[in-house]
Amino acid sequence: MWKGRFEKDTSSLVQQFGESISYDWRLFPHDIAGSIAHARAQKVAGLLTDDEFSQIEKGLREIKADIEAGNFEFRTSLEDIHMNIEAELTRRIGAAGAKLHTARSRNDQVATDTRLYCRTQIDELACAMAGLQLALLDRAEKYAATVIPGYTHLQRGQPVTAGHHLLAYVEMLERDKSRLVDCRKRLNISPLGSGALAGSTINLDRRAIAAELGFDGVTTNSMDAIADRDSIAELLFVISLCGVHLSRLSEDLILWCSAEFGFASLSDAHTTGSSLMPQKKNPDVCELTRGKTGRLVGNLMNLLVAVKGLPLTYNRDLQEDKPPLFDSIDTLHLILAVNTEMIGAMELREETCRATAADPMLLATDLADYLVKKGVPFRHAHELVGKAVAEAIRTRTALDQLDLAAIDDAYGPDAKDVFSLDRALASRTNPGAPSVENVTSEIARWKAALVR
Ligand code: ARG
């Protein structure tokens, strides 16, 4: 495609080193859509006859069908998806094919294809995230009233409902989705027409091309448009963050499934056994989600480091943007699908959850609040309850069995009522708090929002 000034063929080792067709082939539907829009603008500009345009369009559509059917041989010697398609088009239709690359460079072409690809993937990922939200919502509904301990520092803190805990992840996924939407807005601008770096002396209607491709507008600086990989970096960040959220969910589930916690059990279909220890049931999906999140974060770093030292505009380094992009997208799709299935079938052991949450120590804060309501300043109340806790530990007595009135006369005879677990939860009704009442109305809100 550039042989004019060269006397020797590219070494086969360099071909192997420089090819991207082994992975960028998947841009083909976008490359073809971009080429058809570009050709149409050439026709409007009088650079192609109607007949030439029709040949190009027909040829490209046939190539697309052949690729989809697996009847297309990609050639490493043609380096990338752009040249593979263009060379095949010209082989099939002759002279008209050779006109297609007028007023275009692979630099604006690859930037365009990648944005179109990201846009499609963003929509699919958002859909998959909503699917996982629905699975979490379903479990949150089933276990809306199941009491579990809430933790800070992985030390039991205060009782919460399992529904509340699960809905926390629905919130995170909602923010991940909104980040995708935001990222989509910024990337849905057409770079096509930026040429190699400085546009072209042949003016095609960039806005018409952009509109045909579903872009919201055209980029306003050709050098920026060629050199920019922001949208990929941003998408890789959003993907990483979603991975981090699901990695935390995984960690919760790994703990919950341990004998030490005993809160949850995963289906046999979503766990594995040990080849040596017959009793084992391992939460591999959770562990792999946690492990693969490392890859997602690594892919983001990979791209940022690749771009950081590059002068404007295109440098071949930028070809290295796609392996991390494709890997992150594939990996997150898999993570979302498998977690949706696994969460949907997850069961909680409600008695164990409740028994663990029934430790009266978890209501020490409520006891301090009780004293506050009797007029004791909080810092003083905290200290008084701290003394009661120490006394309970020293005398190996449950906190709710202590003679509190003997410790301080601020405690009335109603102090014991504080230790009713259900009452304690029911009183957490402020917006965002974990009462069953709140969780139930949150579930209704999420259902309305997600099942639209
Ligand atoms: N395969 C290349 C990439 O992915 C396409 C752009 C090539 N441009 C160039 N000037 N060599 O970046």
Side-chain angles (χ1 to χ4, degrees):
M1 296 267 172
W2 60 72
K3 296 290 177 228
R5 67 155 291 174
F6 287 78
E7 284 173 4
K8 280 187 188 163
D9 286 343
T10 311
S11 122
S12 67
L13 203 51
V14 171
Q15 285 184 24
Q16 211 185 313
F17 188 61
E19 65 85 21
S20 54
I21 188 63
S22 58
Y23 51 89
D24 69 12
W25 65 268
R26 65 163 97 186
L27 295 176
F28 78 88
H30 311 294
D31 197 75
I32 286 172
S35 287
I36 291 174
H38 181 73
R40 197 184 316 279
Q42 288 181 318
K43 180 184 76 171
V44 172
L47 294 163
L48 291 177
T49 64
D50 284 0
D51 182 53
E52 285 171 326
F53 171 72
S54 299
Q55 286 179 47
I56 289 175
E57 188 183 21
K58 183 164 170 284
L60 287 170
R61 291 199 195 285
E62 283 169 4
I63 288 172
K64 186 174 176 218
D66 286 348
I67 297 175
E68 281 164 352
N71 294 332
F72 190 94
E73 200 194 322
F74 292 115
R75 279 190 280 155
T76 307
S77 57
L78 288 167
E79 197 178 299
D80 58 25
I81 187 62
H82 325 295
M83 296 208 286
N84 266 272
I85 289 175
E86 194 192 323
E88 179 60 17
L89 179 71
T90 306
R91 194 190 67 77
R92 291 187 187 189
I93 69 168
K99 292 187 171 181
L100 178 61
H101 211 54
T102 312
R104 181 176 79 173
S105 153
R106 277 185 296 151
N107 296 352
D108 56 350
Q109 202 177 348
V110 73
T112 305
D113 293 3
T114 309
R115 285 181 186 216
L116 290 173
Y117 168 80
C118 288
R119 191 178 73 189
T120 309
Q121 294 303 321
I122 281 174
D123 295 345
E124 286 177 13
L125 284 174
C127 217
M129 287 179 192
L132 178 53
Q133 283 180 304
L134 286 171
L136 285 160
L137 194 59
D138 175 74
R139 295 293 90 180
E141 188 169 26
K142 177 160 187 197
Y143 300 113
T146 307
V147 196
I148 57 170
Y151 296 79
T152 63
H153 315 270
L154 200 55
Q155 307 289 315
R156 287 179 200 160
Q158 295 177 316
V160 294
T161 44
H164 195 60
H165 192 130
L166 293 169
L167 287 181
Y169 289 101
V170 177
E171 298 273 354
M172 290 177 228
L173 285 164
E174 190 65 17
R175 292 196 296 277
D176 292 333
K177 274 174 17 193
S178 84
R179 272 184 273 271
L180 280 179
V181 170
D182 207 44
C183 168
R184 189 190 200 281
K185 254 184 259 166
R186 266 184 292 280
L187 74 80
N188 199 30
I189 309 289
S190 175
L192 209 56
S194 301
L197 79 155
S200 172
T201 58
I202 299 163
N203 286 327
L204 300 183
D205 186 346
R206 291 192 63 203
R207 285 189 185 82
I209 296 174
E212 175 168 343
L213 295 172
F215 283 116
D216 295 326
V218 297
T219 53
T220 44
N221 183 302
S222 64
M223 296 180 79
D224 175 50
I226 293 309
D228 168 35
R229 290 296 179 273
D230 293 19
S231 32
I232 302 180
E234 200 175 346
L235 181 53
L236 289 185
F237 169 71
V238 176
I239 289 174
S240 300
L241 191 55
C242 181
V244 166
H245 289 150
L246 300 182
S247 185
R248 297 184 76 173
L249 171 61
S250 299
E251 181 58 19
D252 273 340
L253 297 182
I254 290 166
L255 289 169
W256 286 8
C257 288
S258 69
E260 284 70 13
F261 277 72
F263 293 176
S265 70
L266 297 171
S267 157
D268 286 357
H270 307 125
T271 46
T272 62
S274 157
S275 54
L276 180 67
M277 299 167 281
Q279 85 285 9
K280 292 296 288 294
K281 182 169 164 181
N282 298 326
D284 289 27
V285 169
C286 305
E287 294 168 286
L288 284 167
T289 298
R290 202 173 52 182
K292 284 175 192 286
T293 297
R295 256 169 69 188
L296 300 180
V297 175
N299 286 337
L300 169 63
M301 293 309 131
N302 179 343
L303 178 70
L304 290 174
V305 174
V307 174
K308 76 176 266 294
L310 302 185
L312 296 186
T313 51
Y314 182 83
N315 299 270
R316 192 62 183 278
D317 318 43
L318 290 177
Q319 181 171 294
E320 291 291 318
D321 61 354
K322 282 171 284 300
L325 171 66
F326 296 157
D327 183 60
S328 280
I329 283 177
D330 293 346
T331 304
L332 188 60
H333 270 306
L334 270 175
I335 289 177
L336 289 166
V338 73
N339 276 277
T340 302
E341 199 183 282
M342 182 186 70
I343 295 287
M346 177 191 70
E347 309 227 305
L348 294 189
R349 298 198 176 96
E350 298 182 80
E351 332 70 56
T352 311
C353 292
R354 191 177 171 95
T356 313
D359 175 359
M361 287 291 195
L362 271 71
L363 295 173
T365 314
D366 292 47
L367 190 59
D369 289 348
Y370 160 88
L371 291 174
V372 166
K373 286 172 198 156
K374 298 272 178 200
V376 181
F378 180 75
R379 282 289 156 226
H380 185 42
H382 186 284
E383 195 189 335
L384 279 180
V385 176
K387 285 194 172 128
V389 165
E391 175 74 359
I393 292 168
R394 197 181 60 77
T395 59
R396 296 172 189 241
T397 314
L399 187 61
D400 59 344
Q401 301 302 316
L402 285 182
D403 181 5
L404 291 169
I407 295 177
D408 197 283
D409 52 18
Y411 293 108
D414 54 347
K416 283 232 180 321
D417 299 346
V418 165
F419 294 103
S420 154
L421 188 52
D422 292 319
R423 224 185 73 145
L425 259 178
S427 57
R428 289 175 157 80
T429 52
N430 230 11
S435 68
V436 180
E437 190 189 332
N438 274 5
V439 170
T440 308
S441 74
E442 279 299 288
I443 287 169
R445 178 177 74 81
W446 279 116
K447 272 194 181 167
L450 292 171
V451 193
R452 240 174 302 154

